[in-house]
Amino acid sequence: MRIPYIAGNWKMNMTPSQGAALVKELAKQVKGCNAKVMVAPPFVTIPAVVEAAKGTNIIVAAQNINEHDSGAYTGEVSCEMLMDLGVGNVIIGHSERRIIYKESDELINAKVLKALSHNFDIVLCVGETLEEREAGKLEEVLSRQVNVGLKGVTASQMSAITIAYEPVWAIGTGKTATPEDANKAHAFIRSLVANLYGKKVAEETIIQYGGSVKPSNVKELMACEHIDGALVGGASLKAEQFVPIVRCGVLE
Ligand code: 13P
């Protein structure tokens, strides 16, 4: 049984006070809901959001971590710093990190292993650009991102890993992959996990879809066999949009 997992990636939005206010509102409205709900604020907003989320069912995650424990890495944040705030969840390998900040699959893998060594739960993002899709490279790109991203991860550690399929061309563009296309990519990702860890682990792995998820399209996406949740950007910044998305993930 894969429990629906709805996550909001706030990206570089929300000051500490705005973030705390949003989480208080979300907490009221998603109380008692049996989907897993997560928000990922910017680093400086995390403490206020952790405080606001106390005693609620909302998980607070970071959007990134450094692959080292500490040292001369100006501008970076370690797992230990997040743990001190009570944070044990992180998004790794978002396409904006891969493309704008040139994070390689190998670096992403180092971050995954570092986060696992501190018992973090991880959302590992994968997804192709439009150019790659049009060149027929979808499966090649996903295979590389999944196989390299998970290198050295054991079968038992996979319970800490959620995979988010985010086609780059659908992020912030208003273009969503059709449910059929998304489901096909998710099924392929699940087959990659099965190749690495066997069928049972693959069946249990949560695979989120991300890319212009909105209240109006979440239902048909979530109805797909291999889509177990959503990683939401823009629509996670307003309670009136994020709450209906979360509600759609509620188990009947
Ligand atoms: P949008 O929902 O704004 O398209 O962003 C998706 C995303 O990148 C979530 O990580």
Side-chain angles (χ1 to χ4, degrees), residues 7-11 91 94-96 125 164 166-168 170-175 209-214 230-236:
N9 174 11
W10 292 357
K11 308 192 179 184
I91 297 172
H94 191 277
S95 64
E96 285 147 22
C125 301
E166 297 203 308
V168 177
I171 296 177
T173 57
K175 281 186 206 155
Y209 170 79
S212 298
V213 175
K214 300 183 278 274
L231 181 56
V232 187
S236 71

Side-chain angles (χ1 to χ4, degrees), residues 42-236:
F43 286 127
V44 294
T45 299
I46 288 178
V49 169
V50 166
E51 192 53 38
K54 267 193 189 137
T56 75
N57 58 340
I58 299 176
I59 298 165
V60 182
Q63 299 172 13
N64 182 29
I65 45 147
N66 186 268
E67 70 280 18
H68 301 284
D69 276 326
S70 63
Y73 304 104
T74 301
E76 294 289 287
V77 169
S78 71
C79 288
E80 199 183 321
M81 294 167 187
L82 292 165
M83 287 155 67
D84 195 60
L85 293 174
V87 172
N89 282 259
V90 65
I91 297 172
I92 296 178
H94 191 277
S95 64
E96 285 147 22
R97 303 285 331 161
R98 291 176 186 266
I99 295 168
I100 306 171
Y101 300 103
K102 313 276 180 256
E103 292 196 5
S104 64
D105 289 302
E106 290 71 22
L107 175 62
I108 288 159
N109 176 241
K111 292 184 177 198
V112 166
L113 296 178
K114 178 54 70 184
L116 285 173
S117 78
H118 289 289
N119 296 318
F120 273 58
D121 284 342
I122 296 165
V123 174
L124 172 64
C125 301
V126 298
E128 81 289 1
T129 62
L130 187 58
E131 213 178 13
E132 289 165 337
R133 174 171 276 259
E134 285 177 346
K137 291 186 175 161
L138 171 65
E139 296 197 349
E140 179 189 325
V141 170
L142 293 180
S143 301
R144 193 194 66 236
Q145 291 177 338
V146 169
N147 291 328
V148 180
L150 294 177
K151 206 164 171 206
V153 175
T154 65
S156 64
Q157 287 174 320
M158 281 303 288
S159 58
I161 307 258
T162 295
I163 298 176
Y165 170 63
E166 297 203 308
V168 177
W169 47 272
I171 296 177
T173 57
K175 281 186 206 155
T176 326
T178 63
E180 295 72 32
D181 277 348
N183 192 51
K184 234 162 104 182
H186 281 228
F188 180 68
I189 291 168
R190 205 176 298 287
S191 76
L192 294 171
V193 175
N195 283 341
L196 290 171
Y197 302 105
K199 206 166 169 224
K200 183 167 183 292
V201 170
E203 283 304 318
E204 288 167 357
T205 299
I206 302 288
I207 307 178
Q208 297 172 323
Y209 170 79
S212 298
V213 175
K214 300 183 278 274
S216 58
N217 60 21
V218 65
K219 215 169 247 162
E220 50 177 7
L221 288 163
M222 288 296 289
C224 297
E225 182 188 352
H226 292 285
I227 301 183
D228 312 313
L231 181 56
V232 187
S236 71

